[in-house]
Amino acid sequence: MNQWQSTRQLRRYLTELAGAYIVKPWQSIRQWYIQPIRSYRYSLWSVVSLILVGVSFSILIAACSSRNINNTENAGTTSQRDATLTFVSYSVTSAAYQQIIPKFTEQWKKEHNQNVTFNQSYDASGSQTLAAVIEGKEADVVHLSLALDINKLVEAGYIQPGWEKEAPNNAIVTKSLDAIAIRQGNPKNIKTWADLAQDGVKVVTANPKTSGAARWNFLNLWGSVTRTGGNENQAVDFISKVYKNAPLLPKNARNASDLFFKDGQGDVLLNYEKEMILSAQDGDKISYIVPDLNISIDNPVAVVDKNVDKHGTRLIAEAFIKFLYTPDSQREFAKLGFRPVDQMIAKETENNFSQIKTVFKAEDLGEWDEIQQKFFDEGAVVDKIMAKES
């Protein structure tokens, strides 16, 4: 018997109860109470009868309510509808989630007797923010490259302010550093960020207008000047030279990796350290440098409040985010080149990563809204540099 049939039977049963215990007593009330009122003849028996009917009526209502609640609870515990969670992330997380998501769905099924299917989307972080969320993807959970992209969803009314306090570690679930991939033998003698501005060095990096990884690259290049005593004019001049050496700007970090490793384009590749590690695991013959001055690439995760409330998926979405911080999930991220945020797993896997002397954070360059306005808004520093080099 399905839930709809059960509901029909329950309604029929309640209707019969109402007829037997409400309609008939009401007829008695009319005889015992209302009619005496009309004739102004009150009797002790009519008053007592009215009280008894009222008590019976109250008991009936309580019994019906209890029965209804119990049936509802039983239906909820014995019949869980399958659920779908829409998950949107930036391109280079895909391999990790192919391992993590099946583990989560298995655990959820075991604990809640409910099947959860994931609709997954992976692309450049900036593009995901606009196209995959604001323009109709209706993501329940987002794991994006940088806080700037989640803040756009806050501004658009999809995520409530204070999202960074809703998950551990200020909602940062994965980390990485920036790295420079070089050709075998390092024919261009690349050692530091400054070497990327040399004449004749062909640089591959993604487009900072669409890619979160490329924005981290940009901030790292900026910090390599301003965090070592240089001024902002010097930073603009340096980055202009680097982008002059980068005639191709692919959409996202994975496209940039493919261009360098598979298509043989460029002398150097700027990308996440984790992309270098993953490429080596995939069999690419790769050499890379992780410069000692580097930016902490912090990747946040958030529930998309507007959509989970619409879809009724908040509990699953919050549980999924919580699952991403478990040691099991953090190990999966680490296997694919992300630096774990779980300190135990970070210690366990530290030999897999380069040791860096100086790491700065994006916040050292200003608040995120200041970074957006200064560097990435229309007509800001990035646009001016791109216009100069086009």
Side-chain angles (χ1 to χ4, degrees):
M1 181 184 299
N2 61 36
Q3 185 175 359
W4 181 75
Q5 291 172 324
S6 300
T7 302
R8 289 192 64 188
Q9 287 192 358
L10 177 60
R11 288 176 178 171
R12 187 184 304 116
Y13 179 78
L14 292 176
T15 301
E16 292 172 356
L17 285 180
Y21 296 103
I22 298 177
V23 176
K24 290 182 179 179
W26 176 247
Q27 292 172 346
S28 298
I29 291 173
R30 287 177 58 89
Q31 293 176 356
W32 295 335
Y33 182 66
I34 297 178
Q35 188 63 35
I37 289 176
R38 289 178 179 171
S39 58
Y40 298 95
R41 292 196 301 272
Y42 297 93
S43 69
L44 177 61
W45 175 245
S46 63
V47 173
V48 172
S49 298
L50 176 62
I51 294 172
L52 291 174
V53 170
V55 171
S56 299
F57 186 84
S58 299
I59 293 172
L60 173 64
I61 293 298
C64 290
S65 299
S66 176
R67 184 180 183 90
N68 195 23
I69 290 170
N70 289 337
N71 273 277
T72 302
E73 289 177 349
N74 289 337
T77 56
T78 60
S79 177
Q80 286 279 9
R81 294 169 54 189
D82 292 350
T84 298
L85 200 75
T86 299
F87 175 63
V88 164
S89 189
Y90 60 109
S91 58
V92 300
T93 66
S94 176
Y97 279 112
Q98 303 320 304
Q99 305 301 317
I100 292 171
I101 287 175
K103 293 183 178 184
F104 171 76
T105 56
E106 180 182 358
Q107 177 178 300
W108 186 267
K109 173 69 173 178
K110 182 178 179 180
E111 294 178 352
H112 300 273
N113 191 30
Q114 184 182 33
N115 296 313
V116 179
T117 301
F118 275 72
N119 284 336
Q120 302 173 55
S121 176
Y122 302 94
D123 204 344
S125 186
S127 299
Q128 291 291 65
T129 304
L130 297 175
V133 180
I134 294 176
E135 296 176 4
K137 190 69 176 181
E138 295 197 357
D140 298 297
V141 176
V142 291
H143 179 189
L144 299 177
S145 179
L146 67 175
L148 280 178
D149 292 328
I150 292 186
N151 285 342
K152 290 177 183 176
L153 298 177
V154 175
E155 293 171 4
Y158 284 82
I159 295 176
Q160 292 298 314
W163 58 270
E164 64 275 11
K165 303 302 180 184
E166 299 300 319
N169 197 41
N170 287 324
I172 303 302
V173 71
T174 53
K175 297 170 63 177
S176 191
L177 295 175
D178 249 334
I180 306 170
I182 55 179
R183 296 298 178 190
Q184 289 293 316
N186 194 12
K188 297 293 183 177
N189 196 31
I190 304 298
K191 296 179 180 179
T192 68
W193 297 116
D195 295 331
L196 301 176
Q198 294 177 14
D199 291 339
V201 175
K202 295 179 181 179
V203 176
V204 177
T205 181
N207 191 334
K209 299 298 287 186
T210 58
S211 168
R215 292 189 178 197
W216 285 114
N217 292 344
F218 181 92
L219 295 176
N220 213 345
L221 294 173
W222 185 272
S224 73
V225 176
T226 61
R227 302 291 295 175
T228 56
N231 60 41
E232 293 193 352
N233 288 334
Q234 291 172 318
V236 169
D237 181 62
F238 167 64
I239 296 175
S240 296
K241 292 178 180 178
V242 173
Y243 277 102
K244 184 178 180 179
N245 288 343
L248 298 177
L249 296 173
K251 182 180 180 182
N252 60 47
R254 180 53 49 80
N255 294 154
S257 290
D258 289 345
L259 201 64
F260 184 79
F261 293 115
K262 295 181 179 180
D263 298 342
Q265 297 287 324
D267 300 309
V268 298
L269 166 71
L270 304 189
N271 214 327
Y272 297 119
E273 173 195 44
K274 65 90 43 196
E275 279 294 274
M276 313 302 176
I277 295 171
L278 187 60
S279 293
Q281 291 176 358
D282 289 342
D284 293 319
K285 294 181 179 180
I286 176 176
S287 298
Y288 65 92
I289 300 162
V290 182
D292 276 336
L293 176 66
N294 220 300
I295 193 167
S296 177
I297 297 174
D298 299 335
N299 316 127
V301 65
V303 169
V304 185
D305 297 291
K306 180 178 179 180
N307 292 337
V308 296
D309 290 339
K310 177 181 178 181
H311 302 157
T313 53
R314 179 176 288 277
L315 288 180
I316 302 173
E318 291 177 347
F320 178 58
I321 285 182
K322 184 178 179 181
F323 186 78
L324 299 182
Y325 290 90
T326 63
D328 197 17
S329 293
Q330 288 290 302
R331 284 191 185 95
E332 292 297 338
F333 283 126
K335 287 177 185 177
L336 294 164
F338 288 101
R339 294 188 175 226
V341 298
D342 182 287
Q343 293 305 307
M344 180 185 73
I345 307 305
K347 183 68 176 177
E348 182 182 300
T349 60
E350 64 181 356
N351 291 335
N352 298 341
F353 302 98
S354 302
Q355 302 304 306
I356 304 302
K357 292 180 180 179
T358 305
V359 177
F360 66 97
K361 298 180 75 67
E363 289 82 351
D364 294 329
L365 304 179
E367 297 295 331
W368 277 113
D369 57 347
E370 296 172 351
I371 290 173
Q372 173 67 34
Q373 183 178 13
K374 181 175 183 177
F375 298 115
F376 303 117
D377 273 351
E378 294 296 326
V381 173
V382 169
D383 279 352
K384 291 176 180 178
I385 289 176
M386 296 297 183
K388 185 187 302 183
E389 303 310 322
S390 62

